[in-house]
Amino acid sequence: MTIGIGLVGAGGMGADHARTIARHVAGARLVAVADADGDRARQVAAETGAARSGTDGHAVIGDPEVAAVLIASPDYTHADFVRACLGAGKPVLCEKPLAPTPAECLALIEAERALGRRLIQVGYMRRFDAGYVAMKQALSAGELGRALLLHCVHRNAAAPSFFESGMIITNSAVHEIDIARWLLGSEIVRVQVLRTASSELLMVLLESDAGQIVDIELFMSATYGYDIRGELVCEKGTVSLAAPADVHLRRAGTQSFAFAPDWRPRFAAAYRTQLQAWIDAVGRGRSIGANAWDGYAAAAVAAVCLESLASGQPAAVRLESRPALYA
Ligand code: ISE
């Protein structure tokens, strides 16, 4: 059975997802594409074999041939489209963040609870990255003992063109918040954001309910490339991501490797694996990856990070209680 996919949002990330579905994902085909820019939707549809394109995301969600929806529109539009997918009873893979605010995420959780089944997956693709998966396996194997500390570095060569105030937290830091919760298997209870002389370079400190510390360097204008690092420090050793390069060059007294310009090439394999896993899960009537609760938890921690950034003080995170649907 081939699952008909509708794509809402055909900008950089949405167009990449469309190509991945067309070229690398088994069991799915793109049938309809919407984007606020109709020409862009038309081009992506033509390139990827989708029969229909237009400017109305809701028309794509309602399209009878669309069995599952991929949302890659601007962050502030996510909640509205995800709610429409729930209304249509269609599984949805929504790019992160699920929504920029925890209140919007909670409303989606309520709607999904009312349906009684999990249809929402949030595109926290690092959960499908071979490096992070290997880190989690190394920790689960038990030989490292308990995880005590997680060091994260998150550097963009330049802030994306769509960035607005606060997105360094709600659009970038959320990846680190999600991967920290997923790797450590604990919830974040306290945060502190430290400013530097540049508003594009912040340090975020998180504390988990198991007493683990996460430090995150967020640098949105590192200029030299896209650079993501992670190291788990455990009782009996450490495990860290290896440099993501196929080759290391040694020449003229130096050793070097190339950085990806942005996240799309860096995490291309993770995006592919995520899409295939989503399609396979949809085909089996299951859900996989980050769910709506994970989307809410990341947004809730991000909101408290924004408070701490504004006040300069540490701040406590208070999550709602987790509904049984997400146990
Ligand atoms: C971007 O939107 C992403 O999702 C990337 O994965 C992240 O690393 C980057 O900082 C964000 O701006």
Side-chain angles (χ1 to χ4, degrees):
M1 192 187 83
T2 303
I3 297 168
I5 305 296
L7 173 66
V8 179
M13 202 62 246
D16 263 27
H17 284 316
R19 289 183 204 111
T20 302
I21 291 171
R23 295 177 194 158
H24 302 289
V25 174
R29 73 192 164 93
L30 209 58
V31 295
V33 179
D35 192 278
D37 177 342
D39 286 338
R40 194 154 72 176
R42 200 170 317 117
Q43 274 164 21
V44 170
E47 186 189 336
T48 57
R52 286 176 289 288
S53 68
T55 54
D56 183 358
H58 288 280
V60 164
I61 295 167
D63 187 313
E65 274 190 60
V66 166
V69 181
L70 179 47
I71 295 176
S73 51
D75 297 1
Y76 66 89
T77 65
H78 288 180
D80 181 41
F81 289 130
V82 172
R83 192 173 311 107
C85 293
L86 295 179
K90 296 185 182 179
V92 53
L93 172 55
C94 179
E95 260 301 332
K96 40 59 59 177
L98 176 55
T101 66
E104 291 167 287
C105 296
L106 280 175
L108 294 174
I109 285 181
E110 271 317 303
E112 199 173 41
R113 275 179 72 190
L115 275 180
R117 60 200 168 110
R118 297 203 315 223
L119 291 179
I120 302 172
Q121 179 176 336
V122 187
Y124 282 116
M125 78 300 178
R126 291 184 183 188
R127 294 175 177 224
F128 298 89
D129 174 73
Y132 283 110
V133 169
M135 268 172 105
K136 191 164 171 69
Q137 281 166 351
L139 181 61
S140 316
E143 286 166 8
L144 291 171
R146 285 179 306 159
L148 304 172
L149 188 69
L150 175 62
H151 297 296
C152 307
V153 170
H154 185 133
R155 295 186 187 151
N156 284 1
S161 55
F162 54 79
F163 255 42
E164 289 165 9
S165 161
M167 286 178 93
I168 183 171
I169 301 290
T170 63
N171 188 276
S172 295
V174 286
H175 274 295
E176 308 299 335
I177 295 168
D178 180 71
I179 210 67
R181 294 181 59 249
W182 182 74
L183 281 171
L184 300 173
S186 48
E187 291 294 1
I188 306 304
V189 291
R190 212 172 142 77
V191 314
Q192 178 157 24
V193 180
L194 306 173
R195 290 170 181 272
T196 69
S198 163
S199 61
E200 302 214 314
L201 176 57
L202 301 177
M203 277 305 294
V204 175
L205 300 176
L206 309 176
E207 194 182 317
S208 81
D209 55 5
Q212 297 135 330
I213 302 292
V214 181
D215 65 78
I216 308 166
E217 177 203 306
L218 290 165
F219 192 9
M220 293 299 113
S221 50
T223 68
Y224 65 86
Y226 182 71
D227 189 6
I228 297 297
R229 297 185 223 159
E231 181 179 25
L232 258 181
V233 181
C234 306
E235 289 171 310
K236 296 178 201 159
T238 76
V239 54
S240 49
L241 296 177
D246 294 332
V247 287
H248 284 212
L249 188 71
R250 292 187 185 84
R251 200 183 71 85
T254 62
Q255 177 175 343
S256 62
F257 64 88
F259 285 98
D262 67 32
W263 57 92
R264 289 173 297 166
R266 164 65 180 83
F267 285 110
Y271 284 117
R272 271 205 293 277
T273 309
Q274 170 182 253
L275 274 172
Q276 187 67 65
W278 177 56
I279 292 302
D280 293 347
V282 167
R284 293 195 314 271
R286 296 274 179 79
S287 69
I288 193 169
N291 59 37
W293 173 261
D294 297 313
Y296 158 69
V301 175
V304 179
C305 286
L306 287 176
E307 279 170 38
S308 171
L309 176 62
S311 70
Q313 300 299 315
V317 180
R318 286 194 185 79
L319 295 181
E320 299 294 322
S321 51
R322 188 195 291 243
L325 185 61
Y326 309 102

